[in-house]
Amino acid sequence: MIRLFRVFVPASTFGLFLFEALLILSSFVFSAYLLLEVDPTDYFSSLPGLASVALVWLSILFGIYFQSLYSQIRVRSRLLLLQQLLMVAGVAFLLQALISAAAPDLQIPLRVMLLGSLLSIAGIFAGRLLFSAFVLPLVAGERLLLIGNSPLLRDLASHLARNPQSGIQVAGYIGRPASEETAVSEPGGEGRTGSLEDSIQALHASRVVVGFEGGLSSRLAHELLELRFSGHAIEDAAGTYEKICSREGLSGLNATRLLYSKEFEPGTRALFFQAIGNCLIAAAVLTLLSPLMVLIAVLLRLSSREGVIERQLREGRNGPFTLYRFRVAAGGTRVGRILSRTGLYALPQFIHVLRGQMSIVGPRPERPEFARELSRHIPFYPHRLNVRPGITGWSQIHMWHLPAPRDSMVELEYDLYYIKYFSPMLDIFVIAQAIKILLLWGGHP
């Protein structure tokens, strides 16, 4: 797996992205050389020419991303894939129409746009079919041998079963190793008996993932050390779980790790620059969308006798604060349903971003009474407020589609992952994912 934006991406997905990015660019460059009446070299050496091709190239890539074609890379329906790619091309043409009206110099010639789009869509369609049929079975050759009794191993196996596009499979599972013989359970297969090295060879395992709640015995530790010296990859369950599932496993955390490590304590400098960036974005949003907010307030007042603004007490990094949002009654008016579906009810929360009470990206702001109760039952729960709560966040973009009540332990695992890898690039990734969820599915992450 490859780490981008502080997020681990399957190598197969990254390779597919590079291939398609090069294919799209090549299609439009080829079309320009074939159809332009002027010298294509002069066209691409000018700033408007380069900018026009770059804009259409980015628009198609973003269209593919917003169609979730990089999260679901296996082709399950050719017709659906074709429909999605045609929609991507349609959005690219729409953007070109807007560009031609706003900046005609940046518009790519129509005949180049037509041929380049046709070549791009045809190439991506054929490439996806070939990739799904021939490449994915080959890259799905990474096999894990799970050893131990940690709950993280079971969660890891379930996650891999639900996400075959990761290219990782569970080769086998060893629950409790004996003295010199090890009982190995294969998914859907029969048990085998033998030493660890025999099991690795028999199951063709490329990595060994170890996780024990009570720690390793000296005999097993010695055997694993010998395997590592002989060239086998040995990994800790907590690290592998974090890398593959994109969240921090609570079973792999302990008080000693939090006491002596600062990995879950973002630096003051990083928090300061996040606050500055958030304030600038919040000021711009409130300035540009203030007419829309006034319109929403008027419509809510006309459609309901209740107040326009709803006030809720929430727990923040520096103590409780009163959170503002547009009032959306359960099963209420048409205006309320639109606000709920589009996430516009959260616009007043940008005021809290300006005040420094919230961030654009961060853990979900919780009610103080719930936070106190969860802190008594879930270990390390207070650590989620090492950063400011956010309008959206890492846990929100992963759990928005799950029905209430949400799993607070899983949510905490996502929040701890975000805190551990806290960075501007991760915030940008979260915001992009949140926008995609809002536009495609009408949810509020």
Side-chain angles (χ1 to χ4, degrees):
M1 302 188 80
I2 299 171
R3 191 167 164 181
L4 296 173
F5 295 97
R6 300 296 182 97
V7 179
F8 290 98
V9 179
S12 57
T13 302
F14 184 68
L16 182 63
F17 168 78
L18 291 180
F19 166 75
E20 292 181 346
L22 182 60
L23 173 66
I24 296 167
L25 185 61
S26 301
S27 298
F28 282 94
V29 170
F30 173 77
S31 300
Y33 271 89
L34 184 65
L35 299 176
L36 284 181
E37 297 176 357
V38 299
D39 187 355
T41 304
D42 295 336
Y43 178 77
F44 286 114
S45 62
S46 65
L47 182 59
L50 285 175
S52 63
V53 174
L55 285 173
V56 71
W57 177 66
L58 289 174
S59 66
I60 293 178
L61 284 178
F62 275 109
I64 296 173
Y65 166 76
F66 274 96
Q67 286 292 323
S68 299
L69 289 174
Y70 288 123
S71 56
Q72 296 293 334
I73 61 177
R74 188 182 298 274
V75 177
R76 290 182 171 86
S77 169
R78 296 183 181 184
L79 180 59
L80 177 60
L81 174 61
L82 184 59
Q83 290 174 341
Q84 290 174 314
L85 292 177
L86 290 176
M87 187 175 295
V88 169
V91 172
F93 273 95
L94 178 61
L95 290 176
Q96 278 295 304
L98 295 175
I99 291 172
S100 65
D105 291 341
L106 298 181
Q107 181 188 12
I108 196 168
L110 180 59
R111 55 186 178 278
V112 176
M113 182 68 187
L114 287 170
L115 181 58
S117 299
L118 178 62
L119 293 176
S120 298
I121 297 305
I124 293 173
F125 182 78
R128 290 268 175 160
L129 295 180
L130 294 173
F131 184 87
S132 185
F134 300 106
V135 179
L136 269 184
L138 295 177
V139 299
E142 190 172 9
R143 296 165 60 84
L144 304 184
L145 175 59
L146 310 181
I147 302 177
N149 58 2
S150 172
L152 292 179
L153 297 178
R154 294 192 296 271
D155 292 342
L156 180 61
S158 299
H159 178 85
L160 292 175
R162 294 191 303 268
N163 298 274
Q165 69 272 13
S166 65
I168 304 174
Q169 300 174 347
V170 176
Y173 182 83
I174 300 176
R176 288 187 296 177
S179 55
E180 293 188 6
E181 297 285 324
T182 305
V184 179
S185 174
E186 294 181 80
E190 299 178 357
R192 296 188 182 187
T193 302
S195 67
L196 279 180
E197 189 165 12
D198 291 339
S199 300
I200 293 172
Q201 294 176 355
L203 297 172
H204 305 288
S206 54
R207 281 192 282 164
V208 177
V209 182
V210 183
F212 283 89
E213 290 188 301
L216 292 174
S217 66
S218 58
R219 187 182 188 87
L220 179 58
H222 179 71
E223 187 174 4
L224 290 171
L225 193 60
E226 288 185 344
L227 287 173
R228 184 168 185 176
F229 286 153
S230 64
H232 294 286
I234 311 296
E235 297 182 357
D236 176 59
T240 305
Y241 178 88
E242 172 195 289
K243 184 190 304 182
I244 293 176
C245 300
S246 298
R247 61 182 195 254
E248 184 72 31
L250 290 180
S251 301
L253 279 177
N254 54 59
T256 303
R257 182 179 169 189
L258 291 176
L259 180 63
Y260 297 112
S261 173
K262 293 185 178 181
E263 58 185 333
F264 298 105
E265 297 179 10
T268 305
R269 182 179 179 182
L271 289 171
F272 172 77
F273 283 113
Q274 186 202 48
I276 295 297
N278 283 338
C279 286
L280 294 175
I281 295 174
V285 169
L286 292 173
T287 301
L288 295 174
L289 299 184
S290 55
L292 176 61
M293 296 176 67
V294 172
L295 176 61
I296 290 172
V298 171
L299 292 175
L300 286 175
R301 174 63 68 181
L302 294 175
S303 62
S304 175
R305 295 180 180 180
E306 299 181 1
V308 172
I309 297 295
E310 182 179 2
R311 296 169 176 83
Q312 299 177 349
L313 191 64
R314 296 300 173 104
E315 191 70 39
R317 187 167 185 258
N318 300 316
F321 66 97
T322 302
L323 182 141
Y324 302 111
R325 49 184 260 178
F326 285 120
R327 186 178 297 277
V328 180
T333 64
R334 182 178 181 182
V335 176
R337 290 193 295 270
I338 293 175
L339 293 180
S340 179
R341 192 162 53 246
T342 59
L344 291 175
Y345 70 89
L347 282 178
Q349 294 180 21
F350 283 96
I351 297 173
H352 300 293
V353 177
L354 278 178
R355 292 178 175 178
Q357 297 168 322
M358 292 182 66
S359 295
I360 296 175
V361 178
R364 189 190 307 271
E366 192 59 87
R367 296 179 184 269
E369 62 272 19
F370 292 166
R372 288 192 296 268
E373 187 67 21
L374 291 170
S375 297
R376 285 196 290 266
H377 293 89
I378 301 178
F380 320 120
Y381 192 82
H383 283 78
R384 67 195 298 271
L385 287 180
N386 282 346
V387 296
R388 298 180 184 89
I391 298 175
T392 186
W394 187 248
S395 62
Q396 291 92 306
I397 64 172
H398 284 89
M399 302 182 67
W400 70 273
H401 61 286
L402 300 178
R406 59 186 184 274
D407 191 326
S408 297
M409 292 187 66
V410 175
E411 186 177 44
L412 176 61
E413 290 185 337
Y414 281 118
D415 290 336
L416 291 177
Y417 180 98
Y418 170 75
I419 295 170
K420 182 176 181 179
Y421 294 106
F422 180 82
S423 70
M425 298 307 294
L426 185 56
D427 282 359
I428 292 172
F429 180 84
V430 171
I431 292 171
Q433 285 288 105
I435 293 173
K436 183 175 79 170
I437 292 170
L438 280 172
L439 293 178
L440 295 184
W441 295 290
H444 178 224

